[in-house]
Amino acid sequence: MATQAPPASTNPPTDAPDAIVVRFAGDSGDGMQLTGGQFTLSTALAGNDLATFPDFPAEIRAPQGTLFGVSAFQINFGSRAINTAGDAPDVLVAMNPAALKVNLAALKPGGLVIADTGEFTKRNLDKAKYDANPLEDDSLAPYDVLAFDISARTLEAVEPFGLGKKDGLRCKNMWTLGLALWMFDRPREPLHDWLNKKFAKAPDIAAANIAALDAGHAYGETAELSAPLKQVHLPPAPSEPGLYRTITGAEAVSLGLVAGAQLAELPMFFGGYPITPASAILHHLARLKEYGVTTFQAEDEIAAVCAAIGASYAGQLGVTSSSGPGIALKTEALGLGIMTELPLVVVNSQRGGPSTGLPTKTEQSDLYQAVYGRNGDAPMPVIAARSPADAFEVAIEACRMATQYMTPVMLLTDGYIANAAEPWKVPDPEGFTPFPAKFLEEPRGEELLPYKRDEKGSRPWIKPGTPGMMHRIGGIEKDANTGNISYDPANHQHMTDTRKNKIANIEVPDQDVAWGEKTGKLAVVGWGSTYGPIKQAVRRSQDKGCSVSHIHIRHIWPLPKNLGELLSGFERVLVPEMNTGQLKTVLRDQLLVDAESLTKTSGQPFQIAELEEAICAYFDGAQGNEGGQVAANDQQLPSTVEASE
């Protein structure tokens, strides 16, 4: 949903915080992702800046009430700029004992727990491996606790609609959402409209959910509640005038791909195969057929990418998408795209690996795969989005490079970017410069030379069936001009160097400094979804007097030509990334920079506090107290293993 930016509040409460972190947690069947999504919508309509962090199990349906079946949705929202989903919640809504057990360690000391006592039965406590009911002993003493029977109150609210107990309890998430809307002074009308639209063919279900929503809101409004529950109003965040909407990374990539195809004046063909967390791109693009988009769900990853290459050969913009395991299967075909020099956009929504790894957890461990992971010398551009909203422009840039340089391009996102949401100012289409694709329709001279290159090093794009333009391309090495099969050693050397130089000489923007000065003691260099926490950690460290700057790289291959000179202006370089140090290795290899790693491979995104601590270590005077590995923690992605012991 899009909305005009609302005016700032003229009379905000003087004691209101400028940001709040709320986490909804429950069983996979409790609708926590839907609850969080709709609370996000109401927050965006209120004009707050926000960032979200969905977290759900890899199992399609883990056993109900178990630690492994807990699903959570965290949102950080406020009246100031928000860059991350927050280090730790101020409020934890726990729909059952397992949700409490898995997520409690994340809650700030003194934070508020809202718990559904109706689910704290002996059976559910046993499933969550509680020896005693935590709502009745002193284990929750460090927190404010508001515990009441949400289940019973939900059934009471939906009783007039004749729902059975099982169906009635499915409205429990709406009751909880209603309470949250009251807590943070959010209107209910947009949710009423959404429910009526969602259940247009089942009006009784819509009415029951609306009744549950209203009942939760009324409970907060009228009940005699203790001090922990109070209404908080956060005024809108300052923002430029314009049209805004919330957007996930998968949505932004999809819209950016469509925009890129339009700017290239090409129809788009998307070949995909379902895989978490990349599947959402296929789902979104399938709804955009009116923009010249053809979507094809193939029987496997290899068929998906080969179909996309075939579409590019035919004169469309071929696009494919996957996650690390699927990209591995596409590798041979990516080499074919490089050898035939056809435009192709490849989106890699990274997740924990190797193999099938951690399907629903985030990681940045496919950078080596993107830069180096093909047989032979097979270079291709690699570009990375830093946030959900940024993925729109990055997708357009990938389309530009693919069509202008006749090459496959790898676009890197990750599970955090793909699933998370943030406000996005809808751009003016007139602000983008078109880059129309050009097809060769007649020979450049007396003879057709399908590998004769232009000033960028790109070979001509020839649609099959063009009269008099029959030509040969394929995976076996070609003559540098005619495209005939060639096993000549000198020709292969020449073609290898030519393909390498074409990619190396792609024009990419000079690297800028995201936050801070262009010289100093420490540069923190990031890429991808580490942008938000790095920016906030650097800002806080600067407030303490540390000479530190933040540099965030979008173009990973080829690197910006001024990057080496920029990094030479700093005494030390720290590279935080959610892998074992892959960008650090690339920087050392390409720029001879003595970069140091700060790594995290627990399936968890970086916290601001973790990065701030690592930065401050460079200024504490202790030898060797820099870089290293961040330990797993129970803040943003809790550990069910520890909780079950």
Side-chain angles (χ1 to χ4, degrees):
M1 177 179 290
T3 179
Q4 295 288 338
S9 174
T10 57
N11 188 30
T14 56
D15 60 344
D18 62 0
I20 293 175
V21 181
V22 177
R23 182 182 294 180
F24 300 94
D27 194 74
S28 293
D30 286 339
M32 293 298 95
Q33 304 306 317
L34 186 147
T35 301
Q38 292 306 307
F39 186 78
T40 298
L41 172 62
S42 69
T43 300
L45 291 172
N48 295 131
D49 200 6
L50 62 94
T52 69
F53 183 24
D55 172 34
F56 40 86
E59 292 81 5
I60 293 175
R61 187 66 174 89
Q64 189 172 2
T66 64
L67 299 171
F68 301 100
V70 174
S71 176
F73 187 102
Q74 182 164 308
I75 177 171
N76 183 11
F77 60 100
S79 55
R80 57 169 172 81
I82 301 294
N83 297 113
T84 76
D87 279 6
D90 300 287
V91 179
L92 170 62
V93 180
M95 303 300 287
N96 63 12
L100 180 66
K101 183 99 179 237
V102 168
N103 290 278
L104 184 62
L107 191 63
K108 290 179 181 177
L112 173 63
V113 176
I114 299 176
D116 178 11
T117 59
E119 291 294 321
F120 279 70
T121 63
K122 176 66 167 60
R123 183 181 181 188
N124 284 343
L125 289 167
D126 289 343
K127 287 182 181 179
K129 303 189 183 303
Y130 273 116
D131 296 326
N133 190 336
L135 303 179
E136 298 174 354
D137 59 22
D138 295 329
S139 59
L140 299 181
Y143 312 100
D144 287 329
V145 179
L146 184 63
F148 51 93
D149 197 336
I150 295 175
S151 298
R153 295 182 185 276
T154 301
L155 292 175
E156 180 182 332
V158 303
E159 184 178 4
F161 303 95
L163 300 182
K165 182 176 181 181
K166 183 178 180 180
D167 289 335
L169 287 176
R170 288 177 178 169
C171 301
K172 187 167 60 172
N173 61 332
M174 286 296 109
W175 196 101
T176 307
L177 178 58
L179 178 63
L181 293 178
W182 174 83
M183 285 181 65
F184 300 106
D185 195 19
R186 301 279 185 259
R188 287 167 287 157
E189 289 73 16
L191 280 302
H192 289 175
D193 294 341
W194 177 80
L195 285 166
N196 281 321
K197 183 177 179 180
K198 180 177 177 64
F199 297 107
K201 296 182 179 180
D204 288 346
I205 299 297
N209 277 280
I210 290 171
L213 181 83
D214 290 345
H217 190 278
Y219 184 81
E221 194 172 39
T222 62
E224 295 293 332
L225 296 175
S226 57
L229 188 67
K230 58 184 179 180
Q231 193 171 44
V232 178
H233 175 80
L234 275 69
S239 59
E240 298 178 0
L243 184 68
Y244 288 78
R245 59 161 290 183
T246 57
I247 197 166
T248 66
E251 290 171 331
V253 166
S254 303
L255 293 175
L257 290 171
V258 173
Q262 295 283 314
L263 292 168
E265 299 179 3
L266 293 170
M268 189 180 88
F269 177 93
F270 180 90
Y273 181 77
I275 184 172
T276 302
S279 301
I281 296 174
L282 171 60
H283 301 160
H284 292 306
L285 287 175
R287 296 192 287 266
L288 299 173
K289 292 182 173 62
E290 65 268 30
Y291 298 104
V293 178
T294 299
T295 52
F296 168 57
Q297 180 175 317
E299 67 270 27
D300 56 43
E301 297 280 9
I302 299 171
V305 65
C306 288
I309 292 173
S312 290
Y313 176 64
Q316 299 193 17
L317 176 58
V319 181
T320 191
S321 173
S322 192
S323 298
I327 298 296
L329 291 169
K330 296 179 190 288
T331 298
E332 182 184 357
L334 297 184
L336 175 63
I338 292 167
M339 195 69 160
T340 56
E341 299 186 55
L342 286 167
L344 176 71
V345 177
V346 185
V347 184
N348 182 352
S349 302
Q350 301 167 95
R351 67 190 208 183
S355 186
T356 46
L358 302 173
T360 61
K361 311 305 179 186
T362 194
E363 208 162 89
Q364 294 179 301
S365 53
D366 293 350
L367 187 137
Y368 283 163
Q369 183 187 45
V371 174
Y372 304 117
R374 290 163 293 282
N375 66 295
D377 285 295
M380 63 187 292
V382 179
I383 185 171
R386 70 186 190 185
S387 69
D390 183 56
F392 176 79
E393 291 191 9
V394 172
I396 292 176
E397 174 69 353
C399 295
R400 182 192 70 84
M401 288 193 293
T403 55
Q404 296 299 295
Y405 291 89
M406 294 294 286
T407 179
V409 177
M410 183 80 76
L411 192 168
L412 296 176
T413 69
D414 58 41
Y416 179 83
I417 291 176
N419 294 321
E422 65 179 1
W424 176 53
K425 184 181 178 182
V426 179
D428 180 0
E430 299 299 323
F432 294 95
T433 303
F435 41 87
K438 297 179 181 178
F439 295 94
L440 186 63
E441 297 181 349
E442 58 184 23
R444 298 171 180 167
E446 295 181 1
E447 182 183 3
L448 173 60
L449 300 175
Y451 280 87
K452 185 176 181 179
R453 301 177 185 278
D454 62 15
E455 66 280 359
K456 297 190 297 292
S458 301
R459 76 168 189 85
W461 196 356
I462 307 171
K463 288 185 181 180
T466 303
M469 302 292 285
M470 186 179 296
H471 63 290
R472 178 188 290 113
I473 64 173
I476 297 178
E477 186 64 279
K478 300 293 179 288
D479 179 83
N481 287 308
T482 66
N484 296 330
I485 293 174
S486 174
Y487 293 97
D488 180 71
N491 180 77
H492 180 56
Q493 180 72 60
H494 172 75
M495 290 295 279
T496 299
D497 292 340
T498 298
R499 287 187 290 264
K500 175 184 176 183
N501 293 334
K502 180 179 76 169
I503 303 304
N505 292 326
I506 288 177
E507 292 185 11
V508 302
D510 281 348
Q511 183 63 50
D512 60 1
V513 177
W515 191 267
E517 302 298 325
K518 292 184 178 180
T519 60
K521 182 172 181 179
L522 178 65
V524 183
V525 180
W527 68 280
S529 64
T530 57
Y531 174 81
I534 292 177
K535 179 180 179 181
Q536 290 299 327
V538 167
R539 182 183 61 80
R540 293 181 184 180
S541 299
Q542 288 175 348
D543 291 343
K544 297 177 183 178
C546 299
S547 175
V548 56
S549 297
H550 174 200
I551 296 171
H552 215 77
I553 300 175
R554 171 182 282 185
H555 292 86
I556 294 174
W557 196 274
L559 291 167
K561 290 181 171 57
N562 72 321
L563 182 58
E565 180 181 356
L566 182 61
L567 294 181
S568 68
F570 295 89
E571 296 177 24
R572 308 286 288 275
V573 175
L574 177 67
V575 185
E577 47 188 331
M578 293 182 289
N579 56 49
T580 57
Q582 297 184 17
L583 179 62
K584 175 264 299 178
T585 302
V586 172
L587 294 177
R588 286 185 172 186
D589 169 39
Q590 295 296 303
L591 305 177
L592 300 180
V593 173
D594 188 19
E596 299 164 292
S597 282
L598 181 71
T599 64
K600 188 172 185 178
T601 54
S602 56
Q604 305 165 314
F606 278 104
Q607 290 185 319
I608 300 170
E610 293 168 343
L611 293 167
E612 188 178 358
E613 180 182 359
I615 290 169
C616 290
Y618 282 83
F619 300 90
D620 64 6
Q623 287 290 100
N625 193 21
E626 305 94 6
Q629 185 180 81
V630 174
N633 60 65
D634 283 332
Q635 295 294 308
Q636 289 189 310
L637 280 177
S639 169
T640 56
V641 174
E642 182 177 328
S644 65
E645 291 177 351

